[in-house]
C-alpha cells in the first residue's frame, strides 16, 4: 500500500500515517513493513436534527422586526463590500423540478436568488435568464391561457393545475396570442353549467373588457385598475396580442416587498447552473443574457474539472463574472475551491431528500458536521488571506429551524430544493392524489432528469446509475406565504439567541448535541392529538 504525501491547511505536509487533524490513523504491520489504512474520524457524522440552539440574553431591542438577514453571496476582501448580497439567506436549487424563470422572479421579489437549472439546452437556459432580467415588476406574463373552443372542463383543469382564477382567451391558446376575452371565476357556475360548454359562450369578450396598450407605465396601469374597479388589466401590443397582465393585488405585493434582490438597473438578480463539460459555450451565452452569478452544479466538487472551469472563466472574464463551486464536505475541499478562485463554496453531499448518493456510492458526510468543518476552514482562510469566501449549506434541511442551525454553524446562505418544489412557482404540475394535492419532485441524478454532467467524472457521456429518485411532495401554496412564515421563525430564534444579524449569530450562537431521547421529548408526546381522534360528540 503506497503512502502519498498531501498538503495540509497550514501549508505543511503529512503522510497518510501522520495526519494532523481530528483523524485517527490505523497502523498495521504487513510483512514487517509499516503501512496505513483509511482515516477514521473520531467524531460521528452528525445532522442538523442532532443539535439545538441554547438561548442567549435578549435585550429589549432584540425583536424580529430589527433582525437583518442580509448576507453576502460572493467573496469580498476585508474592509470592502461584496459585489452581490442578498437580503434573505435562501437560494433555490439548481434542479429541473425547482428553478425556472418563474421561481427566480418570485424568489428575487422576496430577497433571495434562484440558480436556473443547467440540465437544459444553452439556448433555453439563456432565454430564462433574459426572461428574469427583462421582467417588469408588476407586469405579469400570462401562463393560464385557452382558446375560445376550449370548454368549462378545460378551465377547471387549468385552475386545478395553476391555482389561477384569471384565464386569458387567445386565438391560439398561448400567452402571446391575439386577445379575444377573459374568463374568471365570476363568469361561470359549475352547478348550473355543463362541463362541455364552450368558453366562447361564457367568457367576457374583448369588446366588454377594460384593457390598455403595453407601453404604459405601471402607475398608469394601476390608475386604470382603481378607476374602473377591476381586478386585472390586460395589456396588448399594437397588433392586439396579449403581452402582460397587471393585477390589483400585485400593487400591494410590490409595496410589501422592500427586500427585493435587484441589480443597479433595478432588475431582478438571477443565477444559473453550469457544468464542467460545455462551459466554454454555455457561459458566454449566459453572460450575454445578463446572468448575475454562475454556479458549477456537481455532486462532488473537489476535482480538477472544477478548477479548470473556474480558471477558464477567470481567463476570459476576470473577476467580472461571479461563479460558485462545490459540493464539498471538509476543509481540504473548501481550501481547494477557494484557492481555485471560487466566489462561494457549496457544502453537502448526499443530504438532499431525493439524493441517494450515499446509498449508491457510500460517500458523503452528515450536513452539520460538514458545515462546522468547512466554516472553520473558511474562517482560517479569511484570517490568512483577508478574503471572505461565503459558504452555502446545500441539503439536509428538513424543518425550518434547520435553516437557523445551518446559519449558526457558519453558513452564509442555504440552498433548498424540496422546500421550494412545493410551491405554486415551481415548474412542476400540481397533482391530486386521494383528495390531497402534491407536486412532482425529482433529483438531477434520477433517470427522469438524466443530468449526467452533474455526476461527470470524465468518463462516458451518460448516467451509469441513479443517484436521485422521482417523488412527490405535499403542495404548500405560494412561495411568498411560506417564505414569510419560515423567516419569521428564523428571526424569532435569532432573537432568542440575543442576536440581530447572521454574523452575530455565527459568532455568539451556542449549540448543544441532543440525545435520541431528547429528540423525542422535543415534539408533542404523551398526549392524544385532537386531529388524530375520530369524530364524536363533546361531553
Amino acid at each position: 500500500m503506497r503512502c502519498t504525501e498531501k498538503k495540509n491547511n497550514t501549508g505543511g505536509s503529512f503522510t497518510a500515517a501522520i495526519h494532523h487533524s481530528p483523524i485517527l490513523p490505523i497502523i498495521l504491520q504487513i510483512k514487517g513493513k509499516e503501512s496505513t489504512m483509511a482515516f477514521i474520524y473520531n467524531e460521528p457524522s452528525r445532522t442538523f436534527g442532532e443539535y439545538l440552539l441554547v438561548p442567549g440574553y435578549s435585550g429589549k431591542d432584540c425583536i424580529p422586526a430589527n433582525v437583518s438577514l442580509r448576507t453576502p453571496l460572493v467573496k469580498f476582501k476585508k474592509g470592502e463590500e461584496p459585489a452581490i448580497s442578498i437580503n434573505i439567506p435562501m437560494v433555490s436549487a439548481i434542479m429541473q423540478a425547482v428553478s425556472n424563470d418563474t421561481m427566480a422572479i418570485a424568489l428575487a421579489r422576496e430577497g433571495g436568488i434562484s440558480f436556473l437549472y443547467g440540465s437544459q439546452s444553452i439556448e433555453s437556459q439563456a432565454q430564462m435568464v433574459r426572461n428574469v432580467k427583462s421582467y417588469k415588476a408588476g407586469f405579469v406574463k400570462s401562463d393560464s391561457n385557452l382558446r375560445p373552443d376550449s370548454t368549462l372542463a378545460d378551465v377547471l383543469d387549468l385552475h386545478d393545475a395553476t391555482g389561477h382564477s384569471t384565464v386569458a382567451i387567445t386565438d391560439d391558446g398561448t400567452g402571446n396570442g391575439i386577445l379575444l376575452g377573459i374568463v374568471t371565476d365570476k363568469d361561470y357556475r359549475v352547478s348550473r353549467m355543463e362541463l362541455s360548454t364552450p368558453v366562447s359562450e361564457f367568457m367576457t369578450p374583448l369588446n366588454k373588457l377594460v384593457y390598455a396598450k403595453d407601453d404604459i407605465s405601471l402607475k398608469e396601469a394601476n390608475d386604470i385598475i382603481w378607476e374602473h374597479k377591476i381586478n386585472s388589466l390586460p395589456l396588448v401590443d399594437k397588433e392586439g396580442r396579449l403581452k402582460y397582465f397587471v393585477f390589483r393585488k400585485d400593487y400591494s405585493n410590490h409595496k410589501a416587498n422592500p427586500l427585493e434582490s435587484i441589480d443597479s438597473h433595478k432588475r431582478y438578480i438571477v443565477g444559473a447552473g453550469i457544468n464542467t463539460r460545455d462551459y466554454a459555450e454555455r457561459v458566454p451565452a449566459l453572460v450575454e443574457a445578463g446572468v448575475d452569478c454562475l454556479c458549477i452544479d456537481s455532486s462532488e466538487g473537489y476535482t480538477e474539472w472544477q478548477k479548470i472551469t473556474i480558471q477558464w472563466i477567470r481567463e476570459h472574464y476576470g473577476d467580472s463574472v461571479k461563479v460558485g463551486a462545490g459540493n464539498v464536505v471538509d476543509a481540504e475541499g473548501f481550501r481547494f475551491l477557494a484557492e481555485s478562485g471560487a466566489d462561494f463554496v457549496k457544502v453537502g453531499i448526499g443530504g438532499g431528500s431525493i439524493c441517494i448518493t450515499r446509498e449508491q456510492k457510500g460517500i458523503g458526510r452528515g450536513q452539520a458536521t460538514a458545515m462546522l468543518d468547512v466554516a472553520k476552514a473558511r474562517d482560517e482562510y479569511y484570517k490568512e488571506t483577508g478574503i471572505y469566501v461565503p459558504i452555502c449549506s446545500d441539503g439536509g434541511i428538513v424543518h425550518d429551524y434547520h435553516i437557523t442551525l445551518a446559519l449558526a454553524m457558519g453558513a452564509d446562505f442555504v440552498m433548498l430544493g424540496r422546500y421550494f418544489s412545493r410551491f405554486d412557482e415551481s415548474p412542476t404540475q400540481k397533482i391530486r392524489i386521494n383528495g390531497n394535492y402534491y407536486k412532482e419532485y425529482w433529483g438531477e441524478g434520477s433517470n427522469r432528469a438524466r443530468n449526467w454532467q452533474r455526476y461527470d467524472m470524465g468518463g462516458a457521456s451518460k448516467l451509469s446509475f441513479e443517484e436521485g429518485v422521482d417523488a412527490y411532495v405535499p403542495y404548500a401554496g405560494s412561495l411568498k406565504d411560506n417564505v414569510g412564515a419560515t423567516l419569521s421563525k428564523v428571526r424569532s430564534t435569532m432573537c432568542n439567541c440575543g442576536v440581530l444579524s447572521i454574523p452575530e449569530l455565527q459568532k455568539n450562537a451556542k449549540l448543544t448535541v441532543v440525545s435520541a431521547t431528547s429528540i423525542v421529548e422535543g415534539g408533542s408526546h404523551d398526549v392524544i392529538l385532537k386531529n388524530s381522534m375520530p369524530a364524536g360528540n363533546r361531553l
Side-chain angles (χ1 to χ4, degrees):
M1 186 177 296
R2 189 164 58 91
C3 205
T4 58
E5 186 175 278
K6 301 179 181 179
K7 293 288 183 180
N8 66 18
N9 289 340
T10 61
S13 65
F14 56 83
T15 64
I18 305 173
H19 194 297
H20 301 295
S21 72
I23 297 175
L24 174 66
I26 301 177
I27 303 176
L28 294 180
Q29 295 293 330
I30 301 177
K31 295 183 179 179
K33 295 182 179 180
E34 185 176 313
S35 182
T36 62
M37 292 187 67
F39 298 143
I40 298 180
Y41 286 83
N42 286 324
E43 291 296 321
S45 179
R46 297 189 182 278
T47 66
F48 292 135
E50 295 178 78
Y51 286 89
L52 286 175
L53 284 158
V54 177
Y57 172 73
S58 301
K60 63 181 181 180
D61 63 335
C62 202
I63 59 175
N66 290 339
V67 172
S68 169
L69 294 177
R70 187 169 175 82
T71 192
L73 183 73
V74 297
K75 68 184 179 183
F76 59 94
K77 293 180 180 179
K78 187 175 182 179
E80 298 180 359
E81 289 294 316
I84 306 175
S85 292
I86 49 179
N87 290 316
I88 64 171
M90 302 173 74
V91 306
S92 66
I94 311 170
M95 301 177 68
Q96 295 174 7
V98 179
S99 295
N100 64 349
D101 44 1
T102 305
M103 175 63 69
I105 291 167
L107 185 52
R109 184 180 293 135
E110 300 306 312
I113 185 174
S114 290
F115 285 87
L116 303 171
Y117 70 92
S119 51
Q120 59 179 313
S121 71
I122 294 172
E123 293 74 18
S124 61
Q125 190 184 25
Q127 184 58 50
M128 283 189 182
V129 172
R130 283 191 287 270
N131 291 345
V132 178
K133 300 307 291 186
S134 64
Y135 178 81
K136 296 166 68 176
F139 292 76
V140 181
K141 290 280 189 180
S142 178
D143 59 359
S144 294
N145 313 287
L146 291 172
R147 299 193 319 182
D149 58 354
S150 301
T151 65
L152 176 58
D154 295 324
V155 172
L156 297 178
D157 288 342
L158 188 59
H159 181 272
D160 283 344
T162 65
H164 300 159
S165 59
T166 299
V167 178
I169 309 303
T170 62
D171 63 333
D172 59 3
T174 71
N176 196 41
I178 295 175
L179 182 65
L180 302 177
I182 287 178
V183 170
T184 72
D185 52 9
K186 296 178 181 179
D187 291 314
Y188 57 85
R189 292 282 295 276
V190 176
S191 61
R192 297 185 180 183
M193 296 171 60
E194 296 292 333
L195 294 179
S196 59
T197 305
V199 164
S200 58
E201 294 186 11
F202 60 89
M203 72 180 186
T204 301
L206 184 65
N207 60 8
K208 293 184 179 180
L209 284 178
V210 177
Y211 62 94
K213 295 297 183 181
D214 64 336
D215 58 353
I216 68 171
S217 69
L218 182 60
K219 182 182 183 303
E220 291 171 326
N222 281 307
D223 287 343
I224 294 173
I225 287 174
W226 288 99
E227 179 184 349
H228 291 273
K229 299 180 181 180
I230 54 179
N231 290 323
S232 64
L233 178 70
L235 304 181
V236 299
D237 64 15
K238 60 183 179 181
E239 297 176 350
R241 294 187 177 278
L242 179 63
K243 301 301 291 184
Y244 305 103
F245 272 103
V246 177
F247 292 95
R248 175 189 289 262
K249 63 180 177 63
D250 283 347
Y251 176 81
S252 299
N253 287 345
H254 181 62
K255 293 295 183 182
N257 291 316
L259 298 179
E260 290 177 322
S261 296
I262 54 176
D263 62 19
S264 58
H265 301 287
K266 296 186 177 181
R267 302 173 301 178
Y268 286 140
I269 67 172
V270 61
I274 62 173
N275 62 68
T276 58
R277 284 278 184 137
D278 66 5
Y279 56 85
E281 295 78 35
R282 189 173 294 270
V283 170
L286 295 173
V287 171
E288 189 276 332
V291 74
D292 295 280
C293 187
L294 303 171
C295 183
I296 302 173
D297 183 28
S298 175
S299 65
E300 205 279 291
Y302 192 4
T303 72
E304 188 175 4
W305 303 111
Q306 295 222 359
K307 181 178 182 179
I308 292 171
T309 303
I310 296 170
Q311 287 178 336
W312 186 92
I313 292 172
R314 294 290 174 251
E315 289 170 3
H316 289 80
Y317 298 97
D319 291 329
S320 64
V321 171
K322 308 302 180 183
V323 55
N327 287 19
V328 298
V329 292
D330 64 5
E332 291 180 19
F334 168 83
R335 173 70 63 146
F336 173 79
L337 291 177
E339 292 178 346
S340 296
D343 285 291
F344 67 84
V345 174
K346 284 204 297 159
V347 181
I349 295 177
S353 61
I354 41 69
C355 183
I356 54 173
T357 293
R358 296 180 191 177
E359 293 180 18
Q360 294 284 60
K361 297 167 68 174
I363 65 168
R365 200 175 191 188
Q367 191 67 11
T369 301
M371 280 306 310
L372 291 167
D373 193 5
V374 173
K376 182 180 178 182
R378 185 267 318 277
D379 293 344
E380 291 173 351
Y381 186 79
Y382 180 53
K383 289 179 181 178
E384 292 175 24
T385 66
I387 299 173
Y388 187 91
V389 181
I391 55 177
C392 167
S393 179
D394 180 17
I397 303 292
V398 179
H399 304 291
D400 287 347
Y401 81 90
H402 289 172
I403 296 175
T404 319
L405 281 170
L407 298 174
M409 291 177 181
D412 295 282
F413 51 96
V414 297
M415 179 171 278
L416 303 161
R418 180 193 61 85
Y419 178 90
F420 287 114
S421 71
R422 305 170 300 148
F423 303 151
D424 290 320
E425 294 81 359
S426 74
T428 63
Q429 290 294 312
K430 185 171 68 173
I431 299 173
R432 189 172 182 176
I433 303 174
N434 295 330
N436 297 312
Y437 284 103
Y438 299 85
K439 296 206 77 176
E440 295 179 296
Y441 180 46
W442 60 92
E444 289 297 293
S446 67
N447 277 328
R448 181 170 183 174
R450 303 204 67 79
N451 182 6
W452 63 267
Q453 293 94 335
R454 188 175 196 275
Y455 303 89
D456 181 32
M457 296 297 289
S461 302
K462 66 177 183 178
L463 190 69
S464 300
F465 54 89
E466 284 190 292
E467 292 190 45
V469 299
D470 196 348
Y472 297 105
V473 290
Y475 168 68
S478 73
L479 179 146
K480 181 177 181 63
D481 291 343
N482 284 274
V483 167
T486 294
L487 294 180
S488 291
K489 298 176 188 178
V490 172
R491 292 187 177 100
S492 180
T493 304
M494 290 173 64
C495 287
N496 291 141
C497 295
V499 300
L500 293 173
S501 68
I502 293 173
E504 286 182 14
L505 179 66
Q506 294 169 343
K507 179 181 178 181
N508 299 323
K510 295 182 290 185
L511 295 159
T512 182
V513 176
V514 296
S515 68
T517 304
S518 62
I519 291 175
V520 174
E521 179 187 64
S524 60
H525 58 89
D526 300 317
V527 295
I528 301 174
L529 299 179
K530 288 183 178 181
N531 59 11
S532 66
M533 292 290 289
N537 297 323
R538 288 182 179 269
L539 297 179

